Amino acid sequence: MTTTAQAQREVTYLEAIREALDEEMARDERVFLLGEDIGPYGGAFRITEGFQDKYGDWRVLDTPLSESGIVGAAIGAAMMGMRPVVEMQFADFISCAFDQITEVGAKNHYRWGAAVPMVIRAPFGGGVHGGPFHSECPEGWFFHSPGLKLVAPSTPYDAKGLLKAAIRDNNPVIYFEHKFLYRRIKAVLPTEDYVVPIGTADVKRPGRDISVITYGAMVHVALEAAESLTQEGLDLEVVDLRSLIPLDKQTIFESVKKTSKAIVLHEDNKTGGVGAEVAALLAEECFDCLDGPILRIAAPDTPVPFSTPLEEFFLPKAGDVVAAARKLAAY
Amino acid sequence: MGVEIEEVARTIKRPDLVQMYYYLRLTRTLEDRITALYRQGRIVGGVYTSNGMEAVAVGYASALEPDDIIAPYHRDMGAFLVRGITPGEVVAQYLGKRTGPTKGKDGNVHIGDLKRGIIGFVSHLADNYPVATGAALSFRLRGEPRVVVTNTGDGGTSRGDFHEAMNFASVRKLPVVFFCNNNQYAYSTPLNLQMAIPNVVDRAKAYAIPGEIVDGNDVAAVHLAAKRAVQRARSGEGPTFIECKTMRMHGHSEHDSAKYVPRELLEEWKKRDPILKAEQWLTRLGYGDETLFREVEERVKKEVEAGVEFAEQSPLPEGPEVLDGVFAD
Ligand SMILES: Cc1ncc(C[n+]2csc(CCOP(=O)(O)OP(=O)(O)O)c2C)c(N)n1
């Protein structure tokens, strides 16, 4: 980048999402938004603030409080050639739309060839004292439902590029955006149009000794752990999945073949989560190159608690990664 | 929508109205205190109040027998208090303390306690409607003369669960009373973008459930409507739907300045404040005057302060307590 003005164009994770929506709406008039309070109010997190003034109240639709109805409508519109982007106010409320997503949206193309190019933005995750109904990580529910693509960016760059890719994709994509990162993570983004292809993982930190395979807010936890372990001479490689479905197996396998050790880390409950699948794949495909057990770090199998000490205990932390890394290093 | 003084005089005894007034004041004072704590940054998470709408929850909860059950929503603080949840427990819940009804597992208005006949609130709006119906079904199956009252907002009535519950309850004539707190906005969404009908009560027609519109700012009116509906339910005639017209005087939560609500509308509703309205009834009926009002005000202030102190001195839960209670023993 040549000019300093451009070089300093730092945006937050939240602003990156806003830019992606804005640019896609300007680029393609089939793109429209629907959700609760996304119009004049700008959405619970103010991501679409000002959008209705710019694009009108038929392209930025304030809907009734009916998640199933909203998603069903988006599916219908998508099949008729539109590009709807649904905002779930909180990812937790996606359970109300579960039936439309898994039974209709996910299966249409497989059953009778009708593509459903729809995006559901789902603000997910904890660390914000939201309690059991405003902090969930529901990706596991959909990980098991063929026909959906699932993405979960961890940086502003990926947030913007993956949302653009999701909007341009011909399939239903659930876009898990992490609430904790909204205003905490910043980066300088390219000024030109770009996409981050769905289905590609990214090595966020190359390392020699142990692979930490993760996504979402936990990428930053892994990076923090990696930083602190350098003093001990341990070099972690942090693989950010970015896409959960399709999963970039190649990048995961390559990393583990290099390091011979793997930690799988996520914020969601442990049992039956994305991490379980990654660990199973590694056991199947990389057994010969493993120098220790595959360790999983995840939240316990409980709802997300409200109270501060409980939530702190619940969420995986850099210290957990450090402890797991030391244990693995000893093998 | 309004009620006549003769009817109120005939059907509500002095101690009952005084008690409702006390709960209105307690609710207001407690929620104002919690809002102040929030502004001081002493509360983690959101604060949702029923400011300006206290009469709905106080009115319906005080129309019930001890054995009845409530399945409230997030603006029913008055109902929690009538049911015996103490101000101290409420503040402890807000502060995430172990002495809150959920022991720190959940926060703010997510209060449940079967011992006091309260089915816990779930954020997913209208989720409690089918659950209330199921509770009523159990009373019907066992031949118990108990009733369930549930509540949701105007926004919540757009959910499928709302409609599924209404239908089932009506088909089986279950002893449940459905309340709707129509405060004209769902978060920022005005009623005309929520439904194409002017009154939520019209939704009940589709299920052959008798409906009624009540002045939600008048605790006497809400109470009397609730009594009638509870009576109907108890005598086996099935569900009733009661729409309480009211106004949310604060934002959706305390971080929301509610700029989307026209100020004039708020000014207009301010004149109809439920506490003021209750004082008017007490005066007109000769049940009480300024002296009584000041007495109640002083009393609730003391109770709320004692509650805050109790909550602040209560211990936080310890991290590993997260693991307790996923399953029943
Ligand atoms: C199923 C569901 N979707 C979205 C939300 C987020 N949300 C919380 S309160 C609210 C508005 C509720 O409006 P209403 O039902 O009218 O009740 P009010 O808060 O106005 O009393 C919304 C959209 C939710 N709690 N549940």
Side-chain angles (χ1 to χ4, degrees), chain B residues 39 65-66 103 118 126 142 173 189 195 216 222 237 267 291:
Chain B
R39 302 233 161 100
E65 298 299 326
K103 303 185 174 75
I118 303 165
R142 298 197 299 249
K173 285 199 182 315
T189 307
M195 57 192 78
V222 174
E237 289 171 74
E267 286 308 314
T291 322

Side-chain angles (χ1 to χ4, degrees), chain A residues 191-202:
Chain A
T191 40
E192 65 276 11
D193 183 49
Y194 71 94
V195 296
V196 170
I198 294 178
T200 59
D202 184 39

Side-chain angles (χ1 to χ4, degrees), chain A residues 75-76 79 102-116 147 172:
Chain A
I75 293 170
M79 287 193 297
T102 57
E103 300 309 306
V104 187
K107 289 178 182 161
N108 266 357
H109 188 263
Y110 180 72
R111 293 192 305 126
W112 55 286
V116 180

Side-chain angles (χ1 to χ4, degrees), chain A residues 25-76:
Chain A
M25 288 186 83
R27 184 187 64 80
D28 181 350
E29 55 180 37
R30 297 171 305 169
V31 178
F32 73 104
L33 315 182
L34 60 172
E36 290 153 24
D37 308 293
I38 66 170
Y41 191 67
F45 299 101
R46 303 300 171 97
I47 284 176
T48 57
E49 203 159 20
F51 274 47
Q52 208 177 56
D53 287 339
K54 190 164 172 186
Y55 296 106
D57 53 9
W58 281 96
R59 284 188 77 196
V60 184
L61 278 127
D62 264 334
T63 63
L65 200 163
S66 355
E67 287 75 9
S68 190
I70 300 166
V71 169
I75 293 170

Side-chain angles (χ1 to χ4, degrees), chain A residues 36-37 44 64-67 88-90 92-96 133-134, chain B residues 48-49 53 73-75 110 121-127 152-159 180-189 191 194 248 251-252:
Chain A
E36 290 153 24
D37 308 293
L65 200 163
S66 355
E67 287 75 9
M88 276 295 141
Q89 201 155 74
F90 284 82
D92 311 62
F93 304 130
I94 207 167
S95 57
C96 299
F133 304 110
H134 290 79
Chain B
Y48 308 85
T49 74
M53 302 173 287
Y73 93 129
H74 60 278
R75 304 208 197 270
H110 291 83
F121 167 64
V122 174
S123 280
H124 297 51
L125 284 165
D127 271 14
T152 194
D154 40 293
T157 70
S158 293
R159 282 271 326 283
C180 172
N181 195 327
N182 179 2
N183 55 30
Q184 308 178 52
Y185 285 84
Y187 210 150
S188 75
T189 307
L191 196 73
Q194 191 65 245
R248 197 187 69 210
H252 165 63

